[in-house]
Amino acid sequence: MTLPHQKIFDQLCTHARETALLAAAESALGWDERTMMPPEAAEYRAEQLTLLAGLIHQRRTDPRLGEWLGELAAGPLASGNGEGAHSDVATTIRQLKREYDKRIKLPQSLVEELTRTASLAQHAWEIARTKDDFASFQPHLAKTFELKRAQADALGYVESRYDALVDDFEPGERSSNLEKVLAELRQALVPLVLAIAASQRRPDATIIARTFPIDAQSQFSREASAKIGFDYQRGRLDVTSHPFCTGLGPNDCRITTRYEENFFNCAFFGTLHEAGHGIYDQGLRGDWYGLPPGEAISLGIHESQSRLWENLVGRSRAFWSHFFPRAQECFPQALGDVSLEAFYGAINDVRPSLIRVEADEATYNLHILIRFELEQALLADELKVADLPTAWNEKYQTYLGIRPPNDADGVLQDIHWSAGLVGYFPTYSLGNLYASQFYDAADEQLGGLEAQFARGEFAPLRSWLGENIHRHGQCYTAGELVEKVTGKPLSHAPLIAHLRRKLAPLYGLD
Amino acid sequence: MTLPHQKIFDQLCTHARETALLAAAESALGWDERTMMPPEAAEYRAEQLTLLAGLIHQRRTDPRLGEWLGELAAGPLASGNGEGAHSDVATTIRQLKREYDKRIKLPQSLVEELTRTASLAQHAWEIARTKDDFASFQPHLAKTFELKRAQADALGYVESRYDALVDDFEPGERSSNLEKVLAELRQALVPLVLAIAASQRRPDATIIARTFPIDAQSQFSREASAKIGFDYQRGRLDVTSHPFCTGLGPNDCRITTRYEENFFNCAFFGTLHEAGHGIYDQGLRGDWYGLPPGEAISLGIHESQSRLWENLVGRSRAFWSHFFPRAQECFPQALGDVSLEAFYGAINDVRPSLIRVEADEATYNLHILIRFELEQALLADELKVADLPTAWNEKYQTYLGIRPPNDADGVLQDIHWSAGLVGYFPTYSLGNLYASQFYDAADEQLGGLEAQFARGEFAPLRSWLGENIHRHGQCYTAGELVEKVTGKPLSHAPLIAHLRRKLAPLYGLD
């Protein structure tokens, strides 16, 4: 007996929603592990997460899904033409089929070896970083790239192996496109950063290294994140060591931060950043939770939302013309004698540095470019893992004008490769690029965002993002969405224009 | 092919441990719901918990369990005679079989009706309590007791229906035994409480109603709970509205409390109480987690551990001769001018009151007796639900000498019956009785506990409890354990002796 397609579609959705209930339970345990769990509980928690991951994987590779999706993809509900392709129903079928097809392409043995290798490699990486000993990590990294090549080959690709890997994080994105845009970005960015480094005019960055009591930081970060629109009735802010944002359900978004008493930026901009991720999650349609129309498009688009609130809004003069008086109330000792202009300069201090996660808005993208170019070369076997530290240091010299004194502060600083995350780094820069491009479109359509910020009005921008980006879920790819929202394909120009506009006066450039 | 029994046993344990991983995930989500979850997330969390409960129920009624347990129970590993019956392996088989056999006796339709009725009845109870309107709750309660009779009949019993229900909370306990011990307790307790109520000599209870800043309460409660032995490397203390203790794994015990700025006892003794539960959980053998030798025996024994630390230790003069100076440091405003004797009197204030959860150490058991007698009468159909409020009020008059002015502060005060928990109340008094009986045995064997407390030494008592009670898990029933540890069956005498010893001098009784 053949079921009508609507009935098959309903079964499919019920199945996916149940899987999402389990996946959200997994997220809850993961959140707890990183914010609340007592130290000795780690081993049992790992067992729990392994069991849940297994149950979820089983459900996501359930052969019934393949049957249902095969039938639906060939039928009228998948209606592949024109705007119909972006409908919720067509999107659900298309995206679930995409995920299912990818999943079953990977042999179980490869999945297990990737997991095992990542676990061993992360452990080796932690030790290697502590001991500044790249050699001990080298065989793990070689093995990782070997397996990633096998993964790419199993998944298949049109242009390059790298495409097959990027696709996990930025679905549909191509290396050739990334290379083009990021090369343009590099060409404009390197001279700008070098000019700033050479400038005699510098803000007094010691202002933000004064003493900011943690209770007051917590209070102020909460106020600002609530004001820009993170909904605390549907979310929480907690403390962790490596901040993140995670969703535990359609009305349960958890953001995290960490406090440094003598560094204002860490918690404040970190909270705005995570709140930006959270506002995206909270803007997804709850009635589609656990299904593609209610899920984020890509890491790049997700990152665009966090960077937009953190940098384009949170580091703007207008934002602080609203918030600075309150900041002075919260931190009378540190900021009582500071002018708005001096503070604005300090939070926009640009200087080449070694560590990606501590980099400023401008130099950050150069850190990403280096990693992007190196991981492409490694994957293509054009660079030997043994030669990686030298290649790393040379690129830092060329792009940032500084050279890491050791591998711990160089090639060993990031966890990503050890965790098998190859093709992930460019999504950070994509986030910055998308953010500027979206911001310009919003600014034009809403007519002068800065004037709104100065009045403490953030709801118009948030609503605009909700309408134009969040509520679409996965109905458009990132590339389609950028064109739909901004009328143009992805480009380096808006970000460069934004940085020049802001930094030229601060650093006395022409 | 028949598997060797050891292999079947191993399969059984693997299955049960996996179920425990899921059950602990359920506990984690439940803990989060009551301590952390943002308000709007309740609906999705309920869906998650329902799904997990279904998966767990499916596993616990897996017919393979029945086959494995049937085979094992008839074989050599179940070795039923003498001390062998208390071995870990025999206990595992016996207890898992006991639970499985009980579970499959209940028809699925009855389980579902019990769940549905409890959900509706709790909702109705909340409204009825708010509006002081017993009549609106009455049909739900009648339905509940009707279903509980059906449940008891499906489970079967030897002496009375009530036995079948008590068995869920206090395995193997019989109404006839409870009636005997609790009647003896009542006969000794009623005159004592009435004599105290009539006494002219009263402590100044207003001391504990002074202002105790919440940060200082949190600090002091943490210190004291850590000092008596709750291990914060394997647990946490958080805030909730109805405090509880829950286990999320062998090294992850979460206790909770709530703070009232103008009532010292609430958080402090509440924390000691939950820490007592937590110390029991932390004393169970982690290598048997999820299996009967690593699980608590009964609610009564669990409660004995919380009451022992809360009342027998925490309300003793010796405990405070150690802790009072520190309390004065933490609360200089409230306690700076208070003597140890006055404080000791205030925390041991005994007075008949209407609300069980606010009752003192002595009158508490009378609240339980009333509920025990009434729920037995309701289950036996000797009391009509419509006549319950009158019967309730009359018993309060007889046992405590006071009469509730309304049903909200009378028969509607507890959630238990609305949640289908019939046969649960006596475990609270069992806890008090066991606690005194264990305490006397420990005092005799360890030679003068009070002198140890006065020196701030709590490790000997905690180790004794660990050795004699915690580490046995379910290898003995509660009744067997009491006899093994104290040499005597359960009795009202130690509790009465303890109360007389403490209260006679405080209230000038003879």
Side-chain angles (χ1 to χ4, degrees):
Chain A
M1 194 190 79
T2 318
L3 283 172
H5 280 196
Q6 186 58 49
K7 199 140 189 182
I8 299 176
F9 182 77
D10 292 345
Q11 281 180 344
L12 177 74
C13 290
T14 302
H15 190 281
R17 283 182 199 274
E18 269 194 30
T19 308
L21 284 167
L22 287 176
E26 193 185 24
S27 300
L29 292 177
W31 170 84
D32 181 80
E33 183 174 30
R34 296 173 67 181
T35 56
M36 299 288 160
M37 195 181 74
E40 305 253 320
E43 196 179 320
Y44 194 76
R45 180 56 53 86
E47 268 188 72
Q48 269 181 316
L49 288 171
T50 305
L51 178 74
L52 272 178
L55 289 176
I56 292 164
H57 179 76
Q58 228 170 47
R59 292 185 61 94
R60 286 186 176 152
T61 52
D62 184 340
R64 286 181 307 166
L65 284 183
E67 289 164 27
W68 296 338
L69 287 164
E71 182 112 5
L72 289 170
L77 293 180
S79 58
N81 298 319
E83 271 307 298
H86 303 298
S87 72
D88 292 329
V89 172
T91 295
T92 301
I93 297 168
R94 177 183 68 248
Q95 295 293 95
L96 287 182
K97 186 161 190 331
R98 196 188 113 83
E99 283 168 36
Y100 180 82
D101 290 347
K102 278 187 76 168
R103 248 187 214 103
I104 58 164
K105 275 184 187 161
L106 294 178
Q108 187 60 26
S109 59
L110 179 60
V111 172
E112 283 168 14
E113 213 178 342
L114 279 162
T115 308
R116 194 167 40 246
T117 303
S119 168
L120 294 171
Q122 280 177 77
H123 186 64
W125 165 76
E126 273 186 41
I127 295 170
R129 192 176 59 153
T130 310
K131 298 191 176 168
D132 185 27
D133 174 19
F134 180 80
S136 69
F137 178 52
Q138 188 182 311
H140 294 277
L141 193 58
K143 172 85 178 170
T144 299
F145 273 90
E146 187 188 303
L147 289 172
K148 297 310 280 188
R149 282 188 283 270
Q151 182 184 344
D153 291 343
L155 290 169
Y157 50 85
V158 178
E159 292 179 9
S160 81
R161 273 176 174 156
Y162 194 79
D163 291 352
L165 302 181
V166 168
D167 192 81
D168 271 356
F169 312 114
E170 201 63 27
E173 190 55 88
R174 292 276 172 91
S175 315
S176 51
N177 186 48
L178 287 171
E179 280 166 28
K180 181 181 150 291
V181 176
L182 295 180
E184 287 162 353
L185 179 65
R186 190 188 62 208
Q187 273 164 25
L189 203 51
V190 171
L192 179 66
V193 166
L194 296 179
I196 288 172
S199 165
Q200 298 303 311
R201 189 153 151 199
R202 305 214 63 84
D204 175 9
T206 65
I207 292 168
I208 50 170
R210 293 180 176 179
T211 298
F212 296 84
I214 286 172
D215 282 353
Q217 285 196 51
S218 165
Q219 174 64 27
F220 185 52
S221 299
R222 253 166 227 280
E223 281 177 24
S225 54
K227 184 89 184 179
I228 64 168
F230 182 76
D231 181 354
Y232 281 96
Q233 295 295 303
R234 302 170 58 213
R236 283 180 63 90
L237 170 62
D238 294 281
V239 175
T240 192
S241 52
H242 294 93
F244 62 97
C245 166
T246 185
L248 275 54
N251 293 306
D252 195 350
C253 177
R254 312 270 173 116
I255 59 175
T256 57
T257 193
R258 82 192 164 82
Y259 296 98
E260 287 188 27
E261 199 176 42
N262 295 302
F263 187 44
F264 173 80
N265 292 8
C266 177
F268 186 80
F269 292 106
T271 302
L272 285 194
H273 179 98
E274 301 305 337
H277 282 302
I279 289 168
Y280 183 9
D281 275 359
Q282 292 184 334
L284 293 166
R285 285 173 293 160
D287 50 342
W288 284 94
Y289 185 85
L291 290 165
E295 286 179 353
I297 306 173
S298 71
L299 291 189
I301 296 293
H302 226 309
E303 192 74 4
S304 78
Q305 302 305 292
S306 58
R307 296 290 175 160
L308 187 148
W309 289 106
E310 175 195 357
N311 289 333
L312 290 149
V313 180
R315 289 183 203 268
S316 70
R317 189 183 272 110
F319 179 91
W320 287 103
S321 80
H322 173 71
F323 274 107
F324 193 64
R326 178 64 183 139
Q328 288 183 306
E329 270 174 37
C330 290
F331 312 106
Q333 301 283 23
L335 300 180
D337 64 347
V338 173
S339 71
L340 171 58
E341 276 310 303
F343 182 76
Y344 173 68
I347 59 165
N348 282 298
D349 182 42
V350 170
R351 63 180 75 212
S353 63
L354 292 173
I355 307 296
R356 175 183 61 85
V357 295
E358 294 167 6
D360 58 76
E361 191 181 354
T363 59
Y364 188 90
N365 297 292
L366 297 175
H367 292 265
I368 298 304
L369 277 160
I370 292 169
R371 288 153 178 78
F372 171 61
E373 293 173 3
L374 292 174
E375 69 182 8
Q376 279 190 297
L378 287 167
L379 195 74
D381 231 350
E382 291 161 6
L383 174 67
K384 297 285 162 218
V385 171
D387 300 329
L388 177 62
T390 309
W392 180 283
N393 295 346
E394 279 166 8
K395 281 199 190 279
Y396 265 79
Q397 185 70 61
T398 312
Y399 293 174
L400 284 150
I402 51 176
R403 201 177 185 88
N406 56 53
D407 290 335
D409 291 333
V411 68
L412 288 172
Q413 70 184 263
D414 296 307
I415 196 175
H416 300 62
W417 291 335
S418 77
L421 299 173
V422 175
Y424 187 113
F425 281 121
T427 68
Y428 291 123
S429 278
L430 283 174
N432 288 326
L433 295 169
Y434 291 142
S436 278
Q437 203 161 332
F438 288 143
Y439 184 92
D440 285 356
D443 191 45
E444 197 186 314
Q445 290 172 38
L446 295 172
L449 287 172
E450 297 228 330
Q452 296 173 14
F453 301 163
R455 293 193 300 268
E457 293 167 14
F458 302 96
L461 175 57
R462 190 179 70 252
S463 300
W464 186 91
L465 294 168
E467 270 310 296
N468 288 281
I469 297 167
H470 309 167
R471 74 173 191 87
H472 293 303
Q474 297 182 349
C475 293
Y476 299 87
T477 65
E480 287 166 350
L481 190 72
V482 171
E483 290 233 24
K484 179 177 154 68
V485 175
T486 72
K488 293 173 209 131
L490 177 67
S491 156
H492 71 291
L495 174 61
I496 290 294
H498 157 71
L499 291 173
R500 284 217 181 99
R501 210 160 43 229
K502 175 191 275 188
L503 300 172
L506 279 175
Y507 289 89
L509 315 178
D510 9 274
Chain B
M1 193 189 80
T2 317
L3 284 171
H5 279 195
Q6 186 58 48
K7 199 141 189 181
I8 299 177
F9 182 78
D10 292 344
Q11 282 180 342
L12 177 73
C13 290
T14 302
H15 189 281
R17 283 182 198 274
E18 268 193 30
T19 308
L21 284 167
L22 286 176
E26 193 185 23
S27 301
L29 292 177
W31 170 84
D32 181 79
E33 183 174 30
R34 296 173 66 180
T35 55
M36 298 289 161
M37 195 180 75
E40 304 254 321
E43 196 179 320
Y44 194 76
R45 180 57 51 86
E47 267 189 74
Q48 270 182 314
L49 287 171
T50 304
L51 178 74
L52 273 178
L55 289 175
I56 292 165
H57 179 77
Q58 228 169 47
R59 293 185 61 93
R60 285 187 176 150
T61 51
D62 184 339
R64 287 180 305 166
L65 284 184
E67 288 163 28
W68 295 338
L69 286 164
E71 183 114 3
L72 289 170
L77 294 180
S79 60
N81 297 317
E83 272 305 299
H86 303 298
S87 72
D88 292 330
V89 172
T91 295
T92 300
I93 297 168
R94 178 183 68 247
Q95 295 293 93
L96 287 182
K97 185 159 189 333
R98 197 188 109 83
E99 283 168 35
Y100 180 82
D101 290 348
K102 278 186 75 169
R103 248 186 213 105
I104 58 164
K105 274 183 189 164
L106 294 179
Q108 186 61 26
S109 59
L110 179 59
V111 172
E112 283 168 13
E113 214 179 340
L114 280 162
T115 308
R116 193 167 41 244
T117 303
S119 167
L120 294 171
Q122 280 177 76
H123 186 65
W125 166 76
E126 273 186 42
I127 295 170
R129 193 175 59 153
T130 310
K131 299 193 175 167
D132 186 27
D133 174 20
F134 181 79
S136 70
F137 178 52
Q138 187 181 313
H140 294 277
L141 194 58
K143 173 85 177 173
T144 299
F145 273 89
E146 188 188 302
L147 289 172
K148 296 312 279 187
R149 281 188 283 268
Q151 182 183 345
D153 291 344
L155 291 168
Y157 50 85
V158 178
E159 291 180 9
S160 81
R161 273 175 172 154
Y162 194 79
D163 291 352
L165 302 181
V166 168
D167 193 79
D168 271 358
F169 313 114
E170 201 64 25
E173 190 55 88
R174 290 277 173 90
S175 315
S176 52
N177 186 48
L178 287 171
E179 281 166 28
K180 184 181 149 291
V181 176
L182 295 180
E184 287 163 354
L185 179 65
R186 189 187 64 209
Q187 273 163 25
L189 203 51
V190 171
L192 178 67
V193 166
L194 296 179
I196 288 171
S199 164
Q200 297 303 310
R201 190 154 150 197
R202 305 215 62 84
D204 175 9
T206 65
I207 292 167
I208 50 171
R210 293 180 176 179
T211 299
F212 296 84
I214 286 172
D215 281 353
Q217 285 196 52
S218 166
Q219 175 65 26
F220 185 52
S221 300
R222 254 166 225 279
E223 281 177 24
S225 54
K227 185 89 186 179
I228 64 168
F230 182 76
D231 180 355
Y232 281 96
Q233 294 296 304
R234 302 170 59 212
R236 283 181 62 89
L237 170 63
D238 293 282
V239 175
T240 192
S241 52
H242 294 93
F244 62 97
C245 167
T246 186
L248 274 56
N251 294 306
D252 195 350
C253 177
R254 312 270 173 117
I255 59 174
T256 57
T257 194
R258 81 193 163 82
Y259 295 99
E260 287 188 26
E261 198 176 43
N262 294 301
F263 186 44
F264 173 80
N265 291 8
C266 177
F268 187 80
F269 291 106
T271 302
L272 286 194
H273 179 98
E274 301 305 336
H277 282 303
I279 289 168
Y280 183 9
D281 276 359
Q282 293 183 333
L284 293 165
R285 285 173 294 160
D287 51 341
W288 283 95
Y289 185 84
L291 290 165
E295 287 179 352
I297 305 173
S298 71
L299 291 189
I301 296 292
H302 225 308
E303 191 74 5
S304 77
Q305 302 304 293
S306 58
R307 297 289 176 160
L308 187 149
W309 289 106
E310 175 194 358
N311 288 332
L312 291 149
V313 180
R315 290 183 202 268
S316 70
R317 188 184 273 108
F319 179 91
W320 287 103
S321 79
H322 173 71
F323 275 107
F324 193 63
R326 178 65 184 139
Q328 287 183 306
E329 269 174 37
C330 291
F331 312 106
Q333 301 283 20
L335 300 181
D337 64 347
V338 173
S339 71
L340 170 59
E341 276 311 301
F343 182 76
Y344 173 68
I347 58 164
N348 281 297
D349 182 42
V350 170
R351 63 180 75 212
S353 63
L354 292 173
I355 306 296
R356 176 184 61 86
V357 296
E358 294 167 7
D360 57 77
E361 192 181 354
T363 59
Y364 187 90
N365 296 292
L366 296 175
H367 292 265
I368 298 304
L369 276 160
I370 291 168
R371 288 154 177 78
F372 171 61
E373 293 173 4
L374 291 173
E375 69 182 8
Q376 278 189 298
L378 287 167
L379 195 75
D381 231 349
E382 290 161 7
L383 174 66
K384 297 285 161 216
V385 171
D387 299 329
L388 177 63
T390 309
W392 178 284
N393 294 346
E394 279 167 8
K395 280 198 190 281
Y396 265 79
Q397 185 70 60
T398 312
Y399 294 173
L400 285 150
I402 51 175
R403 203 178 183 89
N406 57 53
D407 290 335
D409 290 333
V411 68
L412 288 172
Q413 70 184 263
D414 296 307
I415 196 175
H416 300 62
W417 291 335
S418 76
L421 298 173
V422 175
Y424 187 113
F425 281 119
T427 68
Y428 290 123
S429 278
L430 283 175
N432 288 325
L433 295 168
Y434 292 142
S436 278
Q437 202 160 333
F438 288 143
Y439 184 92
D440 286 356
D443 191 45
E444 198 186 313
Q445 290 173 38
L446 295 172
L449 287 172
E450 297 227 330
Q452 296 172 14
F453 300 164
R455 291 193 301 268
E457 293 167 13
F458 302 96
L461 174 58
R462 191 180 68 252
S463 300
W464 185 92
L465 293 168
E467 271 308 297
N468 287 280
I469 298 168
H470 310 166
R471 75 175 191 84
H472 293 303
Q474 296 183 350
C475 293
Y476 299 86
T477 65
E480 287 167 351
L481 190 73
V482 171
E483 290 233 24
K484 179 176 153 70
V485 175
T486 72
K488 292 173 210 130
L490 177 67
S491 156
H492 72 292
L495 175 59
I496 290 295
H498 157 70
L499 291 173
R500 284 219 181 97
R501 211 159 43 229
K502 174 191 274 187
L503 300 172
L506 279 173
Y507 289 89
L509 315 178
D510 8 276

